[in-house]
Amino acid sequence: GDHKKSDTSVYAEMLQAEFEKCGDTITAIRNTNKEVNGSFSVVVYDKIADKVYYFKESATAMYLTQNEQYLVMSTSKENVEFAQFFFNIAGGIKQVKPYKIIDVLNGWQKVGKFKEKAYVPPAYSVKSFPSSTWGEKKAESYKGFYESMGGG
């Protein structure tokens, strides 16, 4: 995102565009995640298939507990523990693994996966390394690596 659009709205637009190209939610999720950097944790409701999918990358922690009546998810394990007490959920707490596409309402079944995207720093951070801090050789090394990865 930027100052005009949030990261969430940009991601949603990218996901919708991918879905319009391929017509399949799981493929659209995979293709969209090839293009994004950063930490994310996303729930998608597919109205056509009446499915709820959840996926995340590795930096975001997500915990869940459930019973026949409730499914509770939070980035805070303490919140899930409180929900267990409040809603009288006897089951354990699971930590959600990254890079898996999960069908939330179908027994928390894995229905797909995607690969972690290698992080390549944006051009401005590589090109603006102060040579007095990093040294010209180090700055050129980073700049060369970045450009070899298709940046700049």
Side-chain angles (χ1 to χ4, degrees):
D2 58 27
H3 68 282
K4 294 180 183 177
K5 287 186 177 183
S6 70
D7 293 346
T8 303
S9 65
V10 170
Y11 186 92
E13 289 170 3
M14 292 172 66
L15 184 61
Q16 181 64 35
E18 282 297 327
F19 180 80
E20 288 171 4
K21 285 181 199 172
C22 69
D24 178 71
T25 302
I26 294 170
T27 302
I29 291 168
R30 281 190 193 117
N31 291 345
T32 302
N33 290 338
K34 289 177 186 176
E35 303 301 319
V36 296
N37 282 315
S39 59
F40 56 88
S41 175
V42 180
V43 175
V44 172
Y45 174 58
D46 180 337
K47 287 183 179 181
I48 297 167
D50 194 28
K51 298 274 187 181
V52 177
Y53 298 108
Y54 174 75
F55 52 95
K56 67 183 217 66
E57 52 60 68
S58 63
T60 306
M62 182 60 68
Y63 303 92
L64 77 96
T65 190
Q66 64 184 343
N67 64 12
E68 298 78 34
Q69 190 173 3
Y70 299 104
L71 168 71
V72 178
M73 296 172 61
S74 177
T75 56
S76 165
K77 189 173 183 181
E78 291 79 19
N79 287 350
V80 175
E81 289 169 344
F82 176 76
Q84 282 183 308
F85 170 76
F86 187 79
F87 294 117
N88 196 26
I89 300 173
I93 295 175
K94 297 178 186 175
Q95 185 168 6
V96 182
K97 295 184 179 179
Y99 311 112
K100 312 254 185 280
I101 304 167
I102 305 297
D103 183 339
V104 174
L105 301 178
N106 190 21
W108 204 254
Q109 180 181 5
K110 180 182 127 187
V111 293
K113 60 184 179 177
F114 59 97
K115 293 182 180 181
E116 180 177 11
K117 183 178 178 188
Y119 177 73
V120 177
Y124 64 85
S125 67
V126 174
K127 292 178 180 175
S128 64
F129 284 146
S131 58
S132 61
T133 305
W134 289 85
E136 282 188 29
K137 287 186 179 182
K138 190 151 204 124
E140 284 302 312
S141 166
Y142 282 113
K143 183 178 175 189
F145 169 75
Y146 176 72
E147 289 172 349
S148 74
M149 297 299 289

